[in-house]
Amino acid sequence: MAGRFSRREIEELKAVVERGNLTAAAAELQEKLESLKNTPLDIAITGEAGKGKSSLVNAILGLHDDDEGAAKTGVTQTTMEPTAYPHPRLPNVTIWDLPGIGTPRFQADKYLNQVKFNNYDFFIIVSATRFTSHHITLAHEIHKMGKRFYYVRSKVDIDLRAEKRKKNFNEARTLQKIREDCIKNLREAGEASPRVFLLSSWELANYDFQLLQETLQNELDDQKRHVFILAMPNISAKILEKKKAELQEHIWAVALLSCAIGAVPVPGLSLACDVAILVFHMKCYCMAFGLDDESLTRLAQQVGKPVAELKSAIKKSPLASAITKEFVLTVLSRSLCGALMVLELVLNFVPVLGSLAGGGISFVTTYYMLKSFLDEAAEDAQKVLTKALEPKAEESI
Ligand SMILES: Nc1nc2c(ncn2[C@@H]2O[C@H](COP(=O)(O)OP(=O)(O)OP(=O)(O)O)[C@@H](O)[C@H]2O)c(=O)[nH]1
Ligand SMILES: [Mg+2]
């Protein structure tokens, strides 16, 4: 049932309470949550001109090439200086679209300085067709800085289309051949365990895009991983689940913070909690799941469906803009079941929560509210995704 604490959460909560000083613990937690919110993540997309760097920037950000705020793509040399593309919903995440290496304005020997190579957390080298000496230069320099790179072989849709003309065409075999070739070249360039991803920025659901996302996520430290997961485009059920799990991890900390800093009795209810904290985090959940007007409008354009059709899939949670103090108060007053839940939890955890005094109720109220809101928002986000991916009415006839 929504609202249950996991054993681990109870243990962590106990530990905090046992350490005795709730205000200090809350300050520590607040700092942790704040730094999580402000952790910068700078990802550089590099490679030769015209290989699909800007298209990949847009793919990672969940933007269409024509969207406002999208990186410009084109058939002639397009990107002339490092350009920052802040994530549409997470301003501390920035994808850097770098100009192509080896063009007249960006000779290989000056490129690294020109594009301020030191400034990024990690690199994605984008290639298409052949492996070149520029890839070796980039790989060496990134290594020298003690940083990582991921090698993306883009535009595989074009390779496959060309190979299809042959009699014995086999998609898996063709992809494997491209992959092996990239790995072999990177090994020869001195890379012990090359990380190679085949993809088409036009078909994110196919090939290695998801694997790329997962690999990046696993290799980031905890703090950057949290930021990265929330920044992912909502293109699969799996990504939505991951976001949910990531947000859920922090609910107990938010709840503890709420009871330590601002347990305010809710008028007319035997509940107390910091409504502002609830509003803030519920909005964050909606934004992470793309349950806001801007994200839905963009998604509707991308899949060629009316935005109203996507919105019709949303059954439980409101959009981010509708989450106000009044909304939260209405939910609180309606959640009789929630109140019972709170009571049950308080009774069950008297030894723990007793020492939080009045704050105990605020703790469980906040916990319960956020947990059930997160469950509902995640459910709605899955429904929106299913609706977006359904064949259009005229196509299914
Ligand atoms: N078929 C296909 N075309 C792609 C893909 N990625 C990019 N393109 C096309 O390739 C061309 C170049 O893409 P860009 O993303 O502008 O390449 P870039 O590396 O940023 O180019 P510069 O900024 O000029 O260095 C554009 O016409 C894109 O539409 C892909 O995965 N598949
Ligand atoms: Mg470009």
Side-chain angles (χ1 to χ4, degrees), residues 40-46 57 60 83 85 93-98 119-124 150 216 220 228 231:
L41 181 64
D42 293 286
I43 305 172
I45 314 289
T46 182
V57 169
I60 293 175
T83 314
Y85 290 92
V93 177
T94 310
I95 315 289
W96 289 87
D97 188 11
L98 304 188
N119 290 0
Y120 312 105
D121 288 302
F122 64 80
F123 297 81
I124 296 178
Y150 303 84
L216 296 182
L220 290 168
F228 182 75

Side-chain angles (χ1 to χ4, degrees), residues 47-56 65 72-80 97-101 103 126 154-158 161 199-203:
E48 288 166 306
K51 303 302 179 196
K53 299 182 298 301
S54 303
S55 305
L56 182 62
D65 291 351
K72 296 241 169 338
T73 61
V75 286
T76 53
Q77 190 181 354
T78 308
T79 310
M80 298 308 259
D97 188 11
L98 304 188
I101 184 171
T103 52
V126 180
S154 71
K155 306 194 192 184
V156 292
D157 54 316
I158 297 182
R161 215 175 325 119
L199 53 94
S200 161
S201 294
W202 295 1
E203 299 170 33

Side-chain angles (χ1 to χ4, degrees), residues 149-166:
F149 72 85
Y150 303 84
Y151 189 86
V152 161
R153 174 59 168 72
S154 71
K155 306 194 192 184
V156 292
D157 54 316
I158 297 182
D159 298 84
L160 290 175
R161 215 175 325 119
E163 285 290 309
K164 251 188 204 143
R165 300 171 62 237
K166 296 184 182 164

Side-chain angles (χ1 to χ4, degrees), residues 227-242:
V227 176
F228 182 75
I229 290 180
L230 296 188
M232 288 182 184
N234 295 316
I235 54 162
S236 70
K238 208 163 154 196
I239 287 180
L240 292 173
E241 270 162 34
K242 262 190 208 151

Side-chain angles (χ1 to χ4, degrees), residues 20 30 116 153 173 216:
Q30 183 156 32
K116 302 188 175 66
R153 174 59 168 72
R173 211 167 42 220
L216 296 182

